[in-house]
Amino acid sequence: GVYRSRVGYTSAVQWKHPHATPLSPFIGTNVETVELEYDPNIVSYQKLLDVYWTLSDHTRTIQGPLGPGQYKTVIYCHSPEQYEEAVQSRKIFEGRIGRECVTEVQMNNTFVEAEPQHQKYTLRKRKEVFDTLKLSDYKVVRSHTASLLNAYLAGKCHGERKWEETEEAIMDLYLSVEQLSSLGL
């Protein structure tokens, strides 16, 4: 259902910070964000929310090196229907854990794509696999295959078709399963 992901910053306000660079001017008031593109005919928004609640600790705010908002958990919604569904989902999650969570639900905010070295981070760490793909920085962000492989390598694939989908996407790149097996996959 999820066919593409990219990382970036949301709620970004540009200001000069000691760590800011020309490629990364949005350090400061941003929230590090993952944007997902998915096919609602394959996976529902509710299913994405269900998976979201399993991915991190939603009961405490993590202080990042650039401020308390950098790593906060937020669900950014693109419609009033998504907003209502996310608020309901949070209430159900809070009922399940028996206390309030810190995850915020907000309407969509400005999304700024992060620098190339942050895209598909787990896949990039597997240099031998990443180099085999021969994808430009632009294609890494937009590649369905790179998204699948990144999730697979990070152990974040959900559902019974996870390897079959990844294998099918690999075939689209003309890489054999044997080639990837030799790389440790």
Side-chain angles (χ1 to χ4, degrees):
V2 174
Y3 57 88
R4 197 169 300 121
S5 64
R6 63 186 181 143
V7 296
Y9 311 106
T10 306
S11 303
V13 175
Q14 187 171 357
W15 62 292
K16 288 296 176 195
H17 186 279
H19 299 293
T21 69
L23 292 175
S24 176
F26 295 101
I27 292 175
T29 60
N30 67 70
V31 176
E32 293 187 7
T33 308
V34 176
E35 181 183 71
L36 300 177
E37 293 180 43
Y38 70 101
D39 184 343
N41 296 315
I42 297 173
V43 64
S44 69
Y45 184 64
Q46 183 59 54
K47 179 63 177 169
L48 293 176
L49 291 169
D50 292 346
V51 170
Y52 176 76
W53 296 116
T54 69
L55 295 179
S56 65
D57 182 354
H58 298 278
T59 61
R60 63 189 179 96
T61 301
I62 298 170
Q63 173 84 22
L66 303 174
Q70 181 182 8
Y71 297 132
K72 70 181 179 178
T73 62
V74 184
I75 299 170
Y76 291 105
C77 306
H78 293 276
S79 69
E81 295 79 20
Q82 280 187 347
Y83 181 86
E84 289 304 317
E85 208 168 334
V87 168
Q88 257 322 94
S89 181
R90 182 181 62 197
K91 287 178 185 175
I92 291 167
F93 175 74
E94 288 174 334
R96 200 167 44 236
I97 64 170
R99 61 182 176 157
E100 274 189 31
C101 71
V102 297
T103 301
E104 299 173 22
V105 178
Q106 299 179 15
M107 286 304 292
N108 185 33
N109 212 320
T110 303
F111 178 86
V112 177
E113 189 174 291
E115 306 78 27
Q117 69 269 21
H118 297 297
Q119 305 296 335
K120 312 301 183 278
Y121 181 75
T122 302
L123 178 58
R124 285 180 186 271
K125 284 192 329 188
R126 294 288 301 272
K127 188 163 175 44
E128 70 283 5
V129 177
F130 184 76
D131 290 348
T132 301
L133 297 175
K134 297 182 174 128
L135 295 172
S136 67
D137 285 335
Y138 176 84
K139 286 187 176 179
V140 166
V141 174
R142 285 141 190 89
S143 167
H144 173 65
T145 303
S147 290
L148 281 172
L149 284 172
N150 191 65
Y152 183 79
L153 291 170
K156 301 294 184 190
C157 287
H158 293 273
E160 55 204 44
R161 295 180 1 166
K162 64 183 176 184
W163 175 247
E164 288 80 9
E165 287 180 24
T166 306
E167 185 177 22
E168 185 177 304
I170 291 166
M171 296 307 165
D172 288 343
L173 285 177
Y174 308 108
L175 295 176
S176 70
V177 174
E178 289 79 24
Q179 283 176 301
L180 285 174
S181 291
S182 72
L183 296 173
L185 291 177

